[in-house]
Amino acid sequence: MSSTPLRLAAGTLTLRPWSPEDSVGLSGLFQDEAMRRWTDAAVHDEASAARWVTAQQRGWETGDRFAFAVRETGVPGSTPRLVGNVVLKYAARGSGSAEVGYWTAAHARGRGVAHRALTALTDWAFEAFVREGLTRLELVHQVDNAASCRVAEKAGFALTGTLPADPPAFPLDGHVHERHAPAVA
């Protein structure tokens, strides 16, 4: 990966690696019940938010986890603000497969933020890692998370199966969605 900070655009959204200044206010986003229910991040105050951001930065350094802060930046007359997170988990480099994940802040839900950010991440992943043979992305969410199912399908991830629960991290069965790299002409 280049040492130049990566930025992806998705309409009014900008995706970029997490930075220390993002931790301010992050703990407030995790006060939302849905965030606590659907994510496993232990963010409950500014100190834990800073640790979480540091962990995201470490993923970039090790090259196995590429997390992007999603900010709404292209709305005229409004201040840019954090609206979500998307991540490419690529621990098994060279396997041809990786996992993606995302979350959206409560104030940004229902506006297509997750779908647009996930699509931008997916397009970037297939382009950035084509030489390593990345051909398949997997997305897993709990079966009772209907919103995540809709986001996955809108972003072109087909529902391909169900995984059994694996408590405590994954207390319920999970839907598995997959998207394959476009065919090279």
Side-chain angles (χ1 to χ4, degrees):
M1 303 265 61
S2 166
S3 62
T4 304
L6 181 64
R7 288 189 183 275
L8 306 175
T12 60
L13 304 176
T14 299
L15 289 65
R16 60 156 174 72
W18 287 87
S19 63
E21 58 270 11
D22 294 322
S23 62
V24 176
L26 186 60
S27 63
L29 299 181
F30 278 86
Q31 299 310 306
D32 171 44
E33 183 179 328
M35 289 284 283
R36 290 192 312 269
R37 179 176 181 194
W38 302 119
T39 69
D40 60 0
V43 176
H44 52 273
D45 59 18
E46 281 200 38
S48 59
R51 285 190 297 275
W52 186 86
V53 167
T54 298
Q56 306 319 301
Q57 292 175 312
R58 198 171 312 115
W60 281 89
E61 293 166 6
T62 60
D64 63 1
R65 183 180 177 93
F66 304 94
F68 291 84
V70 180
R71 297 182 63 85
E72 197 162 40
T73 57
V75 179
S78 70
T79 303
R81 68 189 225 181
L82 181 62
V83 292
N85 172 67
V86 289
V87 60
L88 173 70
K89 303 169 192 175
Y90 198 20
R93 299 293 282 263
S95 69
S97 184
E99 183 180 350
V100 295
Y102 54 88
W103 54 255
T104 307
H107 65 266
R109 291 188 195 125
R111 297 189 290 123
V113 166
H115 153 251
R116 290 181 287 147
L118 179 59
T119 299
L121 174 76
T122 300
D123 293 346
W124 168 78
F126 284 138
E127 183 179 316
F129 298 105
V130 67
R131 288 194 177 100
E132 291 184 22
L134 180 63
T135 59
R136 179 179 155 286
L137 293 177
E138 184 177 88
L139 185 155
V140 179
H141 64 82
Q142 287 186 183
V143 295
D144 62 338
N145 190 339
S148 275
C149 221
R150 287 189 301 274
V151 167
E153 290 171 353
K154 281 183 179 181
F157 285 77
L159 179 61
T160 59
T162 303
L163 291 175
D166 188 15
F170 220 63
L172 301 176
D173 289 352
H175 279 163
V176 179
H177 296 261
E178 292 180 9
R179 183 167 161 188
H180 295 271
V184 177

